[in-house]
Amino acid sequence: MSAPAPPSAGAFPSPPGGFAPAPPPSTRRNVELLLLAFAALITTISLFLVEASQEQSITWDIAKYGCAFLALFGIAHLAVRRFAPFADPLLLPIVAALNGLGLVLIHRLDLGAAQNAEFNSMEIPSPDANQQIVWTGLGMVIFISVLVVLRDYRTLARYSYTLGLIGLVALMIPALLPGRFSETNGSKIWIRLPGVSVQPGEFAKILLIIFFASVLVARRDLFTTAGKHMLGMDFPRARDLGPILAVWIICIGVLVFEKDLGTSMLIFSTVLVMLYIATERVGWLIIGGGLLAIGFVFAYKTFSHVRVRTDTWLDPFADYNNTGYQISQSLFGLATGGLAGTGLGSGRPNTVPFANTDFIITTIGEELGLIGLTAVLVLFLVLVMRGLRTAIAVRDSFGKLLAAGLSFTIAIQLFIVVGGVTKLIPLTGLTTPFMSYGGSSLLANYALLALLIKVSDAARAPAPARKKDPAPPIADAPTELLRRSERPQE
């Protein structure tokens, strides 16, 4: 039996050089678009369920909010496709789902507030969901602006000291202003101007993360120098504790002059985690934990508002009608939700003060139950894990610390918020990222997301191919003299 004839040369033509070109790298932007469409579908269905339960009819609010949601995140997707084509395809869809669910819950609280006002023959308040859409649009402007202007995130390291100084000044301004321009519910954290209010601490935390990422890279030898070896761990030298002591003093100052326990805890914890990532020394965590405990004891002994927060945390029912009312109602709402929740639009989340800002987690737990709250926390967990994966994959040290710091600040803030509303830790007044009502938090978090996407784009982009020197034309090739080798005579 004869062997089959080999295929002819023309059957499988090979490219010049004899090797097939490498396939183009996958950007997975279509996956992102599909997930964004799924997030929009979930948001629209949730709006439908809320209105069907509350109004027993469907209004134009579904179309208004749904179309605005599609338009804003569609534009954001096009911006990522153009200016960060290799970014992680999960980051933007996860934020879209969280933002969409937050919009649904804020709209649901608007309907509840309108019903309460109508029942009590009061003026119906303006809906917060409309303003939240406006804030989301402005957040998209900041998001796209960062993607367009910041071509290389590493340029931020050149201006790290300037950005750190701006962040520190922004953090201090509310403490220097009179109470009528800065104080709300006992905390001086705002800058109130005619027609606009800004919470500068939300933006200051991002600027300080950039500053500390740059300093930790530039001064890594200072932080990694080992001091005493105790209990199987290397502790830093006493003279190297200056930076972390400076951060501790700044956070104590925020707590003293602005009465803002949440921001001080958030900034100090984020810097402490970044310090550990940069040095891999547990000794820094132990020292930082000790400083945190000392600061808390000092604040409890010195300031009445910290004592009130702590006493309310220990026993909220001791003063139920006054200081303990908010956390008590939160616990009642979570208990009412149980495992599966009362259903969207079927609970009573309006009985909790600040249900659309500080206590939106309680609204989720009451109407979606433990299952829905767990799903939301899993979304945040995936967002943080993808950010940490970006930190591992990026090639430069500044990008690693920047991505890790941005990811951990979301995780720490979520822990402080959830811990506060569930009575795990004292209440702090922080808001849930991307979900709570408010402009400053939403704008700052979209700037944070844009930075994380830029680092992710650099981490996932293929390495640039080296250009080979082209072979010179035959006419320009140098002449070589060839000599014939002579064989030895036998």
Side-chain angles (χ1 to χ4, degrees):
M1 184 175 180
S2 60
S8 61
F12 301 97
S14 60
F19 296 97
S26 175
T27 62
R28 307 195 70 181
R29 298 274 67 84
N30 291 334
V31 174
E32 179 183 86
L33 182 60
L34 181 63
L35 293 175
L36 285 173
F38 184 63
L41 178 63
I42 292 177
T43 301
T44 305
I45 293 175
S46 300
L47 287 169
F48 178 86
L49 293 175
V50 165
E51 295 228 339
S53 177
Q54 286 285 304
E55 297 287 336
Q56 304 299 322
S57 62
I58 306 303
T59 66
W60 284 105
D61 287 336
I62 291 180
K64 178 176 63 177
Y65 297 141
C67 291
F69 185 89
L70 281 174
L72 290 175
F73 283 96
I75 294 173
H77 167 74
L78 294 177
V80 173
R81 184 180 287 267
R82 171 64 178 84
F83 298 103
F86 297 99
D88 193 321
L90 295 183
L91 295 177
L92 185 61
I94 291 175
V95 169
L98 294 172
N99 197 346
L101 181 57
L103 178 64
V104 170
L105 296 174
I106 292 170
H107 177 54
R108 184 262 174 275
L109 292 167
D110 287 340
L111 297 178
Q115 288 182 354
N116 292 337
E118 185 177 358
F119 179 78
N120 295 317
S121 301
M122 299 173 61
E123 183 181 358
I124 297 178
S126 58
D128 291 331
N130 292 340
Q131 188 64 36
Q132 186 75 351
I133 283 290
V134 174
W135 288 123
T136 303
L138 293 176
M140 287 301 175
V141 172
I142 292 181
F143 175 79
I144 295 173
S145 299
V146 173
L147 293 182
V148 174
V149 175
L150 190 63
R151 296 184 178 274
D152 189 349
Y153 65 88
R154 291 172 294 184
T155 57
L156 294 174
R158 303 177 187 174
Y159 310 100
S160 60
Y161 284 90
T162 302
L163 295 177
L165 180 61
I166 294 174
L168 186 59
V169 171
L171 202 61
M172 294 171 55
I173 286 178
L176 304 177
L177 293 177
R180 65 179 183 274
F181 296 116
S182 61
E183 187 170 353
T184 299
N185 298 322
S187 298
K188 298 185 63 175
I189 57 176
W190 292 91
I191 299 177
R192 297 191 181 278
L193 300 175
V196 63
S197 298
V198 179
Q199 190 174 347
E202 294 286 347
F203 302 93
K205 67 182 182 183
I206 300 177
L207 298 178
L208 292 176
I209 287 173
I210 296 172
F211 168 73
F212 283 111
S214 175
V215 169
L216 289 174
V217 171
R219 302 287 187 267
R220 188 175 185 274
D221 294 339
L222 176 67
F223 297 102
T224 55
T225 302
K228 292 184 179 180
H229 186 81
M230 296 183 298
L231 302 176
M233 294 175 290
D234 292 325
F235 287 84
R237 299 176 299 181
R239 60 177 177 270
D240 297 336
L241 297 177
I244 194 171
L245 288 175
V247 178
W248 182 73
I249 293 173
I250 291 172
C251 293
I252 291 295
V254 171
L255 181 61
V256 171
F257 296 105
E258 299 184 3
K259 301 179 181 179
D260 188 6
L261 179 62
T263 301
S264 59
M265 287 179 59
L266 178 62
I267 293 176
F268 187 80
S269 301
T270 302
V271 173
L272 189 61
V273 170
M274 293 175 65
L275 188 56
Y276 171 72
I277 293 174
T279 62
E280 298 182 3
R281 294 190 182 278
V282 182
W284 284 108
L285 292 179
I286 296 176
I287 292 175
L291 290 174
L292 193 63
I294 293 172
F296 181 78
V297 172
F298 168 76
Y300 180 82
K301 297 289 186 181
T302 309
F303 307 111
S304 60
H305 65 278
V306 177
R307 284 197 299 272
V308 170
R309 290 280 181 93
T310 306
D311 295 340
T312 302
W313 165 57
L314 294 175
D315 188 3
F317 301 103
D319 192 8
Y320 172 78
N321 292 320
N322 189 14
T323 58
Y325 181 77
Q326 193 176 31
I327 183 62
S328 299
Q329 290 297 109
S330 173
L331 296 175
F332 290 150
L334 293 173
T336 302
L339 184 62
T342 60
L344 281 173
S346 300
R348 298 181 60 190
N350 292 86
T351 59
V352 182
F354 303 103
N356 60 350
T357 53
D358 300 359
F359 282 81
I360 200 168
I361 290 293
T362 302
T363 306
I364 299 172
E366 181 175 352
E367 301 215 331
L368 298 180
L370 180 62
I371 296 175
L373 182 57
T374 301
V376 171
L377 296 181
V378 167
L379 285 177
F380 276 109
L381 177 62
V382 175
L383 178 64
V384 172
M385 293 302 296
R386 301 299 286 195
L388 294 178
R389 183 176 178 180
T390 295
I392 294 174
V394 75
R395 300 173 181 87
D396 63 290
S397 299
F398 175 71
K400 289 180 181 296
L401 283 177
L402 179 61
L406 296 174
S407 303
F408 266 108
T409 195
I410 295 176
I412 295 170
Q413 184 168 346
L414 185 66
F415 171 78
I416 293 174
V417 171
V418 177
V421 301
T422 58
K423 212 178 87 61
L424 180 64
I425 60 175
L427 284 173
T428 59
L430 292 180
T431 57
T432 306
F434 302 108
M435 299 190 73
S436 295
Y437 171 76
S440 299
S441 176
L442 205 56
L443 299 183
N445 284 315
Y446 272 112
L448 184 152
L449 176 65
L451 289 175
L452 197 57
I453 283 180
K454 291 297 291 187
V455 180
S456 175
D457 177 62
R460 296 166 63 92
R466 294 183 178 179
K467 295 182 179 180
K468 296 182 179 180
D469 296 333
I474 297 179
D476 297 334
T479 302
E480 296 183 3
L481 179 62
L482 302 179
R483 295 182 178 180
R484 178 180 297 176
S485 60
E486 297 181 357
R487 294 183 177 178
Q489 295 180 356
E490 297 181 354

